[in-house]
Amino acid sequence: MAWQVQFRVFRSSRGEVPAHFDPFTVEIKPDETVLDGIERIWAFQDRTLTFRHACHHASCGSCAMRVNGVEKLSCVTYIQDVTSDGGTLVVEPLRNFPIVSDLVVDVSPMFHRMHEVGMPIIRSAEPLGKPENFNCFENCIECGMCVSACPVMLTSNQYLGPAALAAAQRTIAEPRGVDVRSIWQLADDENSVWRCHTAFECGEVCPSNGDPAGAIMALRRRLILERIKSLFGRGILARQRGG
Amino acid sequence: MTKPVAIVIGGGSTGAATAHDLALRGLKVILVERGEIASGTTGRCHCLLHSGGRYCVKDQEAGIECIEENIMLRKIMPDGLELNDGLFIAITDSDMDYKDKFIAGCEACHIPWEELTPQQALAIEPNLNPNLKAAIRVPDGVFEALRFCLSFLATAKKNGAEIHPYIEVLDLLSTGQGAIKGVHVQDRTSGRVYDIEGDIVISATGPWAGDIAAMAGASVPIQPTPGVMVSMNQRVVNLVVNRLNKAADGDIIVPQRQTSIIGTTSWPVDHADYIPVPEDHIQMMLEKGAELVPGIRQARMRGVFAVARPLIASAGQADGRELSRTFECFDHAKRDGVEGFVTITGGKATTARAMAEKTADVVCRKLGLDAPCRTRDTVLVSYREYYI
Ligand SMILES: Cc1cc2nc3c(=O)[nH]c(=O)nc-3n(C[C@H](O)[C@H](O)[C@H](O)COP(=O)(O)OP(=O)(O)OC[C@H]3O[C@@H](n4cnc5c(N)ncnc54)[C@H](O)[C@@H]3O)c2cc1C
Ligand code: SF4
């Protein structure tokens, strides 16, 4: 049985101020997804609606948006989990990114940071007790949901942000050929791990077991340990200082 | 000398690879895509870097294309592929009857293969159906469709291409003398409508190729043929697992990141804009998938999606399974008497580079340019550089 759900969708055309919400009534089954509903609005009600999507199976990260105020990967967010028959869904673009139009944000600031950190996207897979060395894409799908949820990002656009810090921690823990010295420097900065207020909102919304909050804490512990070591003239920070 | 301008319509795997090839050959490339990059067929495909094994018996032309491109992509996209190989496993007697045909097909297409005993296969993949009777290992791989396109596009941008998502082609501009001279577009982020002129227009619009061709009064024999895929919340295998038999519904599980994607089905539709998922296909995917890997029954479903293949139609086909998976580049001057307009469609994401090479050859010949293809050994830059 299909439900009737009202989608209140954030609308803004490039440069248009102020933005507004458009209501759309959608017939949708409880086990369909928020992205199914948005695609149907585009297909049958309003061809001007713009939104990001590609893989529809939680692997590309592009369909991230805010649903009733919470960051969601819309392709795997089921209607029954976020509303009820006759209910309303408020759909907005991610925060802390420049808005291009409607639900489309410009994700390049995050990719700049990810590129700086330089995490390879391929890693050894979780072994299923196998003799062979399998490989697998990184868990982080670069969806930007942690960046959107982070209260510190709201106040400082200098902050490296949870996704890139989690990537830095991954790379330092498992360098796979990457030179980690510059990543240490990037991480050990007032706009980096030390700026995090440990609000843990990023970890709450991560759709991919990325645990950015945990990664930032781990990175802090490593940095503190390195500082202690460097007092005794050992460790990577000491070597850096020595040239 | 000013560079000739090539306008590419479509930001899926075909358009992305075509933009890359043409930019490397020295053309000024302007690519327009009406939505996000990879928001058409490419994004929602099964993400299998084909070894060619799935085609080596019935469609050897496609099989050969796949293995050649598979080997080439390993060189040019080294950091963007999960390369764990694939298994074709036999469970029934009918599967066993297919084994010799399959091996002969691999040989004919030059697909490297290795037969494993059931014990060896289970040692590599303990979650396989324990009743398997035979397993053949081939060099299948896995890509991530958005990043696959972005790698080509990032490299194209480095070589001067302009990539414009959210720009929809509303019409083709005609010279009035039977030639196309550009595109009439709308910027969907602002509503602005304007024209872009160029020396040649290339439609890489997959299952929408018929719509664009119609704007030129031309036609392409495209049959949009969707398939359903079901993704699970666990990576149940590390190798791609295929059923050792002729292509059928639900005969393959592709692991990717933390998920396993079961696919797929095949039926023809009139138009590719919106594909509702037939409910019975989901149940069928789960049942057929569990024949390959019984653990599918314990895993939870994560997402369901469907999208249309751009298959090139021929007479007398039924569900689309019989249509060739190879590609074709249509020069509309020859076909429909329309100059300045080329369509590239059919094929696979796996063969995007080869499709681009063939198209760019046609484009260069039409423009009188002598520029050889250089994509075979040009290593692509990181997809992240698309944003930089
Ligand atoms: C179910 C299924 C599973 C598949 N699995 C695999 C697989 O595992 N491996 C593999 O290699 N291949 C696979 N394929 C095949 C592969 O996905 C396609 O052949 C390939 O992605 C087609 O790419 P394309 O760029 O030609 O088309 P598309 O990706 O569809 O790109 C065309 C683009 O044109 C755009 N467009 C349309 N109209 C306009 C307009 N008016 N203006 C501007 N832009 C426009 C669309 O938005 C779209 O993004 C699969 C296909 C299907 C259907
Ligand atoms: S860490 Fe998680 S929330 Fe942040 S970008 Fe990666 S996948 Fe998305």
Side-chain angles (χ1 to χ4, degrees), chain B residues 112-360:
Chain B
W113 62 275
E114 178 194 1
E115 181 161 3
L116 306 179
T117 63
Q119 293 71 27
Q120 285 170 324
L122 284 165
I124 301 173
E125 285 294 7
N127 290 341
L128 290 180
N129 185 335
N131 300 322
L132 84 161
K133 294 172 189 271
I136 295 172
R137 185 171 183 158
V138 293
D140 282 337
V142 178
F143 54 83
E144 198 280 299
L146 172 63
R147 286 160 180 85
F148 184 88
C149 296
L150 292 178
S151 308
F152 282 112
L153 293 172
T155 315
K157 276 176 90 170
K158 288 266 170 308
N159 293 312
E162 289 177 27
I163 314 297
H164 300 294
Y166 300 101
I167 304 286
E168 178 156 13
V169 171
L170 302 177
D171 207 350
L172 299 179
L173 301 174
S174 164
T175 58
Q177 277 123 34
I180 298 302
K181 60 167 186 178
V183 288
H184 179 60
V185 298
Q186 178 164 43
D187 179 345
R188 297 182 63 237
T189 67
S190 66
R192 189 166 80 92
V193 173
Y194 58 101
D195 293 343
I196 308 172
E197 294 202 0
D199 297 286
I200 187 133
V201 173
I202 299 134
S203 167
T205 45
W208 293 274
D211 296 359
I212 303 292
M215 295 174 186
S219 68
V220 283
I222 234 22
Q223 172 58 64
T225 311
V228 169
M229 276 149 293
V230 176
S231 82
M232 311 304 292
N233 72 338
Q234 282 175 37
R235 186 175 171 114
V236 293
V237 282
N238 275 317
L239 279 71
V240 176
V241 178
N242 300 266
R243 188 75 177 248
L244 182 62
N245 212 321
K246 62 180 196 307
D249 292 341
D251 67 346
I252 171 169
I253 302 176
V254 178
Q256 186 198 46
R257 282 195 208 274
Q258 304 175 86
T259 180
S260 317
I261 315 163
I262 316 169
T264 175
T265 52
S266 182
W267 77 101
V269 295
D270 291 335
H271 199 265
D273 264 2
Y274 187 79
I275 317 270
V277 176
E279 214 136 298
D280 52 328
H281 288 207
I282 302 172
Q283 200 47 42
M284 193 212 316
M285 287 303 102
L286 295 174
E287 279 162 22
K288 289 283 174 189
E291 288 178 18
L292 296 168
V293 175
I296 290 286
R297 288 201 190 91
Q298 278 79 52
R300 258 194 319 115
M301 213 165 71
R302 184 137 204 233
V304 178
F305 51 107
V307 74
R309 302 171 186 85
L311 296 190
I312 297 170
S314 56
Q317 41 79 30
D319 63 355
R321 287 247 185 257
E322 302 299 317
L323 294 186
S324 171
R325 298 306 204 252
T326 187
F327 57 85
E328 203 154 330
C329 178
F330 300 96
D331 178 351
H332 293 285
K334 289 194 189 139
R335 234 180 113 76
D336 310 277
V338 181
E339 260 305 344
F341 178 46
V342 167
T343 294
I344 171 70
T345 190
K348 309 248 85 199
T350 302
T351 58
R353 193 218 58 86
M355 296 168 73
E357 175 173 348
K358 185 160 170 187
T359 310

Side-chain angles (χ1 to χ4, degrees), chain A residues 110 139-146 163 166 206-208 210 212:
Chain A
M110 179 183 66
N139 286 352
C140 173
I141 57 174
E142 296 166 303
C143 63
M145 280 162 54
C146 54
C206 177
S208 200

Side-chain angles (χ1 to χ4, degrees), chain B residues 1-10 13-32 152-153 155-163 198-204 329 340-344 352-376 378 380:
Chain B
M1 205 188 86
T2 55
K3 291 179 175 183
V5 175
I7 299 168
V8 178
I9 313 173
S13 54
T14 312
T18 304
H20 165 56
D21 190 316
L22 290 170
L24 262 188
R25 294 195 205 209
L27 282 83
K28 169 75 201 177
V29 176
I30 302 172
L31 181 144
V32 291
F152 282 112
L153 293 172
T155 315
K157 276 176 90 170
K158 288 266 170 308
N159 293 312
E162 289 177 27
I163 314 297
D199 297 286
I200 187 133
V201 173
I202 299 134
S203 167
C329 178
F341 178 46
V342 167
T343 294
I344 171 70
R353 193 218 58 86
M355 296 168 73
E357 175 173 348
K358 185 160 170 187
T359 310
D361 284 347
V362 170
V363 167
C364 287
R365 183 167 34 79
K366 286 176 74 71
L367 297 177
L369 301 172
D370 178 22
C373 177
R374 287 167 46 208
T375 57
R376 287 168 179 262
T378 301
L380 303 170

Side-chain angles (χ1 to χ4, degrees), chain A residues 14-79:
Chain A
R14 209 183 265 275
E16 181 209 41
V17 193
H20 63 281
F21 286 84
D22 275 345
F24 298 96
T25 303
V26 182
E27 297 264 326
I28 191 159
K29 284 183 266 169
D31 60 352
E32 291 185 287
T33 66
V34 172
L35 183 58
D36 289 331
I38 289 171
E39 224 192 349
R40 220 169 293 161
I41 293 171
W42 166 80
F44 302 115
Q45 298 193 39
D46 187 344
R47 297 291 281 205
T48 67
L49 180 64
T50 51
F51 55 103
R52 302 182 67 228
H53 66 121
C55 81
H56 293 233
H57 65 264
S59 210
C60 76
S62 64
C63 71
M65 52 187 76
R66 300 206 318 144
V67 179
N68 290 343
V70 182
E71 284 69 16
K72 297 280 182 194
L73 210 50
S74 58
C75 69
V76 290
T77 300
Y78 290 91
I79 293 292

Side-chain angles (χ1 to χ4, degrees), chain A residues 225-226 229-241:
Chain A
L225 199 68
E226 279 297 328
K229 276 201 225 158
S230 78
L231 288 178
F232 298 98
R234 287 187 282 130
I236 191 160
L237 294 179
R239 284 201 294 280
Q240 252 166 24
R241 232 164 269 155

